[in-house]
Amino acid sequence: MKINSSLEYLLLRYKENKLSQSNLIVTDDIDKCVSELKIVVKNILCSDTFSASCDKCNICHLIDENSLSNFIVIEPDGAAIKKEQVSTLMNKFMLKPDLVNNNVFIIKNAEKLNASSSNTMLKFIEEPSPYNIGFLVTNNINAILPTIISRCQITKVNYNEEIIEDEEIIDLASVFVDKIENDYYNALFFVKENLLSKDYDKDRYILLLRKMLDIYYEVLVNKINEFKSNNDNFMYLNNLNYDILNKKVQILTGYLDRLNYNVNMNLFFDSLIVEMR
Ligand SMILES: [Zn+2]
């Protein structure tokens, strides 16, 4: 079975001994992502040479049955993931695993960690036992405690990402970001001249905001993972600190949502620019 290339990359990192012990996976399809992640986990824990249908080892069988004590998946119990669920996991994973090399956990819908379970989770990943590997899977990074985010390696796993191929919009998005960040007083003028005057339909404005969101998001993810952005066009965004980038991602996400309703585009851009500043 073929899995998402970002998940394959995690496996590669594991084989190179470079996989982070705490991983935050941001995906647009949690169920699919978790089921593919289980294949990664089997690769990690399999006692034999893993193959798609490993029927030689008991470990893979136990993983399939959800009955391997060294592999735990936590899902929300009702509306939230509760503190007790996380403390139970902590206690179970205090010991060195016996049958396998690692203890592996998956937190499904990590955005459902509430204030108290988030704090327990934070304690858990702050001082991980050297055998533990964790995957927090979410579809909403903004709902995750920033202190948790800062301790995790972030991986984006998108299944429904439609690649934006509209060159004009791609250019406009990068110039608009540049105006907002470096030439604020002319940003509104830019909008009037280059966006509003063209009388685009709503879909293209949505595309524009999605592209802008991608730009900020990529810099944010690189910053958290301490990669230097490979995109020289947005070097100036690297100078923004984590909190500000995170805030800007949140603002753009909110504005993108507003485009689903009837909005006056003039006022929309006006207040977007003010808030982004
Ligand atoms: Zn196996």
Side-chain angles (χ1 to χ4, degrees), residues 24-27 30 110-111 137-144 149 253:
L24 179 64
I25 299 182
V26 185
T27 182
I30 290 186
E111 72 283 356
V137 183
T138 185
N139 55 18
N140 181 11
I141 192 172
N142 293 323
I144 308 284
I149 298 177
T253 309

Side-chain angles (χ1 to χ4, degrees), residues 9 25 52 58 77 82 91 134 169 272:
Y9 179 69
I25 299 182
N58 197 27
D77 175 9
K82 299 187 175 124
N91 291 333
I169 289 296
L272 172 68

Side-chain angles (χ1 to χ4, degrees), residues 17 23 26 31 53 76 80 89 95 130 148 163 192 199 258:
N17 260 324
N23 297 276
V26 185
D31 287 326
S53 55
L89 170 72
L95 299 172
I148 290 184
I163 296 163
K192 291 206 167 100
D199 202 21
R258 281 197 209 176

Side-chain angles (χ1 to χ4, degrees), residues 89-102:
L89 170 72
M90 255 175 111
N91 291 333
K92 283 188 181 159
F93 278 12
M94 261 170 15
L95 299 172
K96 184 174 187 291
D98 42 11
L99 292 170
V100 285
N101 295 327
N102 297 99

Side-chain angles (χ1 to χ4, degrees), residues 42 46-48 50 54 57 59-60:
K42 281 190 197 171
C46 181
S47 59
D48 205 344
F50 179 81
C54 175
C57 82
I59 301 290
C60 286

Side-chain angles (χ1 to χ4, degrees), residues 41 45-46 58-73 93 98-100 102 104:
V41 175
L45 298 178
C46 181
N58 197 27
I59 301 290
C60 286
H61 178 67
L62 289 171
I63 292 175
D64 281 334
E65 304 281 303
N66 278 330
S67 43
L68 181 72
S69 61
N70 306 97
F71 172 57
I72 294 177
V73 181
F93 278 12
D98 42 11
L99 292 170
V100 285
N102 297 99
V104 183

